[in-house]
Coordinates of all heavy atoms in Angstrom, one line a residue:
D50 N -11.8 14.3 -15.3 CA -12.9 15.1 -16.0 C -13.6 16.1 -15.2 O -14.4 16.9 -15.7 CB -13.8 14.2 -16.7 CG -14.6 13.3 -15.8 OD1 -14.2 13.1 -14.6 OD2 -15.6 12.7 -16.2
T51 N -13.3 16.1 -13.9 CA -13.9 17.1 -12.9 C -12.9 18.2 -12.6 O -13.2 19.0 -11.7 CB -14.4 16.4 -11.7 OG1 -13.3 15.9 -10.9 CG2 -15.4 15.3 -12.0
I52 N -11.8 18.2 -13.2 CA -10.7 19.1 -12.9 C -10.3 19.9 -14.2 O -10.0 19.2 -15.2 CB -9.5 18.4 -12.3 CG1 -9.8 17.6 -11.1 CG2 -8.3 19.3 -12.1 CD1 -8.8 16.5 -10.7
D53 N -10.2 21.2 -14.1 CA -9.7 22.0 -15.2 C -8.2 22.4 -15.0 O -7.5 22.6 -16.0 CB -10.6 23.2 -15.4 CG -12.0 22.8 -15.8 OD1 -12.2 21.9 -16.6 OD2 -12.9 23.5 -15.2
V54 N -7.9 22.7 -13.7 CA -6.5 23.2 -13.4 C -6.1 22.6 -12.1 O -6.9 22.4 -11.2 CB -6.6 24.8 -13.2 CG1 -5.3 25.3 -12.8 CG2 -7.1 25.4 -14.5
V55 N -4.8 22.4 -12.0 CA -4.1 21.9 -10.7 C -3.4 23.1 -10.2 O -2.5 23.7 -10.9 CB -3.2 20.7 -10.9 CG1 -2.5 20.4 -9.6 CG2 -4.0 19.5 -11.5
A56 N -3.7 23.5 -8.9 CA -3.0 24.6 -8.3 C -2.1 24.0 -7.2 O -2.6 23.2 -6.3 CB -3.9 25.6 -7.7
G57 N -0.8 24.3 -7.2 CA 0.1 23.8 -6.2 C 0.6 24.9 -5.3 O 0.9 26.0 -5.7
I58 N 0.6 24.6 -4.0 CA 1.0 25.6 -3.0 C 2.5 25.6 -2.7 O 3.0 24.5 -2.5 CB 0.2 25.4 -1.7 CG1 -1.3 25.4 -2.0 CG2 0.6 26.3 -0.6 CD1 -2.2 25.1 -0.8
E59 N 3.1 26.7 -2.7 CA 4.5 26.9 -2.4 C 4.9 26.2 -1.1 O 4.2 26.4 -0.1 CB 4.9 28.3 -2.4 CG 6.4 28.5 -2.3 CD 6.8 30.0 -2.5 OE1 6.1 30.8 -3.1 OE2 7.9 30.3 -2.1
S60 N 6.0 25.6 -1.1 CA 6.8 25.2 -2.2 C 6.7 23.7 -2.5 O 6.9 23.3 -3.6 CB 8.3 25.6 -2.0 OG 8.8 24.8 -0.9
R61 N 6.5 22.9 -1.5 CA 6.4 21.5 -1.7 C 5.2 21.1 -2.5 O 5.2 20.0 -3.1 CB 6.5 20.8 -0.4 CG 7.9 20.9 0.3 CD 8.0 20.3 1.7 NE 7.0 20.8 2.6 CZ 7.1 21.9 3.3 NH1 8.2 22.7 3.2 NH2 6.1 22.3 4.1
G62 N 4.2 21.9 -2.6 CA 3.1 21.6 -3.5 C 3.4 21.7 -5.0 O 2.7 21.2 -5.8
F63 N 4.6 22.3 -5.3 CA 5.0 22.3 -6.7 C 5.6 21.0 -7.1 O 5.5 20.7 -8.3 CB 6.1 23.4 -6.8 CG 5.7 24.8 -6.6 CD1 6.7 25.8 -6.6 CD2 4.4 25.2 -6.4 CE1 6.3 27.1 -6.3 CE2 4.0 26.5 -6.1 CZ 5.0 27.5 -6.1
L64 N 6.2 20.3 -6.2 CA 6.9 19.1 -6.6 C 6.0 18.0 -7.3 O 6.3 17.6 -8.4 CB 7.6 18.4 -5.4 CG 8.6 19.3 -4.6 CD1 9.0 18.6 -3.3 CD2 9.8 19.5 -5.5
F65 N 4.9 17.7 -6.6 CA 4.0 16.7 -7.2 C 2.9 17.3 -7.9 O 2.2 16.7 -8.7 CB 3.6 15.7 -6.1 CG 4.7 14.8 -5.7 CD1 5.5 15.1 -4.6 CD2 5.0 13.6 -6.4 CE1 6.5 14.3 -4.2 CE2 6.0 12.8 -6.0 CZ 6.8 13.2 -4.9
G66 N 2.6 18.6 -7.6 CA 1.5 19.2 -8.3 C 1.7 19.4 -9.7 O 0.8 19.1 -10.6
L67 N 2.9 19.8 -10.1 CA 3.2 19.9 -11.6 C 3.2 18.5 -12.2 O 2.7 18.4 -13.3 CB 4.6 20.6 -11.7 CG 5.0 20.8 -13.2 CD1 4.0 21.6 -14.0 CD2 6.4 21.4 -13.3
M68 N 3.8 17.5 -11.6 CA 3.8 16.2 -12.2 C 2.3 15.7 -12.3 O 2.0 15.1 -13.4 CB 4.5 15.2 -11.3 CG 6.0 15.3 -11.3 SD 6.9 14.0 -10.5 CE 6.8 14.4 -8.8
L69 N 1.5 15.9 -11.3 CA 0.1 15.5 -11.4 C -0.6 16.2 -12.6 O -1.4 15.6 -13.3 CB -0.6 15.7 -10.1 CG -2.1 15.3 -10.0 CD1 -2.3 13.9 -10.4 CD2 -2.6 15.6 -8.6
A70 N -0.4 17.5 -12.7 CA -1.0 18.3 -13.7 C -0.6 17.8 -15.1 O -1.5 17.6 -16.0 CB -0.7 19.8 -13.6
Q71 N 0.6 17.5 -15.3 CA 1.1 16.9 -16.5 C 0.5 15.6 -16.8 O 0.0 15.3 -17.9 CB 2.6 16.7 -16.5 CG 3.4 18.1 -16.5 CD 3.2 18.8 -17.8 OE1 3.6 18.3 -18.8 NE2 2.6 20.0 -17.7
R72 N 0.4 14.7 -15.8 CA -0.2 13.4 -16.0 C -1.7 13.5 -16.4 O -2.2 12.8 -17.2 CB -0.1 12.6 -14.7 CG -0.8 11.2 -14.7 CD 0.0 10.2 -15.5 NE 1.3 9.8 -14.9 CZ 1.5 9.0 -14.0 NH1 0.4 8.3 -13.5 NH2 2.7 8.7 -13.5
L73 N -2.4 14.5 -15.7 CA -3.8 14.6 -16.0 C -4.1 15.4 -17.3 O -5.2 15.6 -17.7 CB -4.5 15.3 -14.8 CG -4.5 14.6 -13.5 CD1 -5.2 15.4 -12.4 CD2 -5.2 13.2 -13.6
G74 N -3.0 16.0 -17.9 CA -3.2 16.9 -19.0 C -3.9 18.2 -18.7 O -4.6 18.7 -19.5
K75 N -3.6 18.8 -17.5 CA -4.2 20.0 -17.1 C -3.1 21.1 -16.9 O -2.0 20.8 -16.6 CB -4.9 19.8 -15.8 CG -5.9 18.6 -15.8 CD -7.0 18.8 -16.7 CE -8.0 17.7 -16.7 NZ -9.1 17.8 -17.6
P76 N -3.5 22.4 -17.0 CA -2.6 23.4 -16.6 C -2.2 23.4 -15.2 O -3.0 22.9 -14.3 CB -3.3 24.7 -17.0 CG -4.5 24.3 -17.8 CD -4.8 22.9 -17.4
F77 N -1.0 24.0 -14.8 CA -0.6 24.1 -13.4 C -0.5 25.5 -13.1 O 0.0 26.4 -13.8 CB 0.8 23.4 -13.3 CG 1.3 23.6 -11.9 CD1 0.9 22.7 -10.9 CD2 2.3 24.5 -11.6 CE1 1.4 22.8 -9.6 CE2 2.8 24.6 -10.3 CZ 2.3 23.8 -9.3
V78 N -1.0 25.9 -11.9 CA -1.0 27.3 -11.4 C -0.2 27.3 -10.0 O -0.6 26.5 -9.1 CB -2.4 27.8 -11.1 CG1 -2.4 29.1 -10.4 CG2 -3.1 28.0 -12.5
P79 N 0.9 28.1 -9.9 CA 1.6 28.2 -8.6 C 0.9 29.2 -7.7 O 0.5 30.3 -8.1 CB 3.0 28.7 -9.0 CG 2.7 29.4 -10.3 CD 1.6 28.8 -11.0
I80 N 0.7 28.7 -6.5 CA 0.3 29.6 -5.4 C 1.5 29.9 -4.6 O 2.1 29.0 -4.0 CB -0.8 28.9 -4.5 CG1 -1.9 28.4 -5.3 CG2 -1.3 29.9 -3.4 CD1 -2.8 29.4 -6.1
R81 N 1.9 31.2 -4.5 CA 3.2 31.6 -4.0 C 3.1 32.5 -2.8 O 2.1 33.1 -2.5 CB 4.0 32.3 -5.0 CG 4.2 31.6 -6.3 CD 5.6 31.0 -6.6 NE 6.6 31.1 -5.7 CZ 7.9 31.5 -6.0 NH1 8.1 31.9 -7.3 NH2 8.8 31.5 -5.2
K82 N 4.2 32.5 -2.0 CA 4.3 33.5 -0.9 C 4.3 34.9 -1.5 O 4.7 35.1 -2.6 CB 5.6 33.2 -0.2 CG 5.6 31.9 0.5 CD 6.9 31.6 1.2 CE 6.9 30.2 1.8 NZ 8.2 29.8 2.2
Q83 N 3.8 35.8 -0.7 CA 3.7 37.2 -1.1 C 5.0 37.8 -1.7 O 6.1 37.5 -1.1 CB 3.2 38.1 0.0 CG 2.9 39.5 -0.3 CD 2.3 40.3 0.8 OE1 2.7 40.0 2.0 NE2 1.4 41.2 0.5
G84 N 4.9 38.5 -2.8 CA 6.1 39.1 -3.4 C 6.9 38.3 -4.3 O 7.9 38.7 -4.8
K85 N 6.5 37.0 -4.6 CA 7.3 36.1 -5.4 C 6.8 36.0 -6.9 O 7.5 35.4 -7.7 CB 7.3 34.7 -4.8 CG 7.9 34.7 -3.4 CD 9.4 34.9 -3.4 CE 10.0 34.8 -2.0 NZ 11.4 35.1 -2.0
L86 N 5.6 36.4 -7.2 CA 5.1 36.4 -8.5 C 5.3 37.7 -9.2 O 5.1 38.7 -8.7 CB 3.6 36.0 -8.5 CG 3.3 34.6 -8.0 CD1 1.8 34.4 -7.8 CD2 3.8 33.6 -9.1
P87 N 5.7 37.6 -10.5 CA 6.1 38.9 -11.2 C 5.0 39.7 -11.8 O 5.2 40.9 -12.1 CB 7.0 38.3 -12.3 CG 6.4 37.0 -12.6 CD 6.0 36.5 -11.3
Y88 N 3.8 39.2 -11.9 CA 2.7 39.9 -12.6 C 1.7 40.3 -11.5 O 1.9 40.1 -10.3 CB 2.0 38.9 -13.6 CG 1.0 39.6 -14.5 CD1 1.4 40.6 -15.4 CD2 -0.3 39.1 -14.5 CE1 0.5 41.2 -16.3 CE2 -1.2 39.7 -15.4 CZ -0.8 40.7 -16.3 OH -1.7 41.3 -17.1
R89 N 0.6 40.9 -12.0 CA -0.4 41.4 -11.0 C -1.0 40.2 -10.3 O -1.3 39.2 -10.9 CB -1.5 42.2 -11.8 CG -1.0 43.5 -12.3 CD -2.1 44.4 -12.9 NE -2.9 43.8 -13.9 CZ -2.6 43.9 -15.2 NH1 -1.6 44.6 -15.6 NH2 -3.3 43.3 -16.1

Side-chain angles (χ1 to χ4, degrees):
D50 61 344
T51 65
I52 300 164
D53 297 317
V54 174
V55 176
I58 301 173
E59 184 170 340
S60 64
R61 290 175 305 276
F63 296 172
L64 299 171
F65 290 93
L67 180 58
M68 287 191 280
L69 180 58
Q71 290 294 299
R72 176 75 65 85
L73 298 176
K75 308 296 180 181
F77 178 78
V78 169
I80 307 296
R81 303 256 359 231
K82 295 175 183 168
Q83 187 173 34
K85 300 292 185 181
L86 290 170
Y88 189 63
R89 291 188 302 267

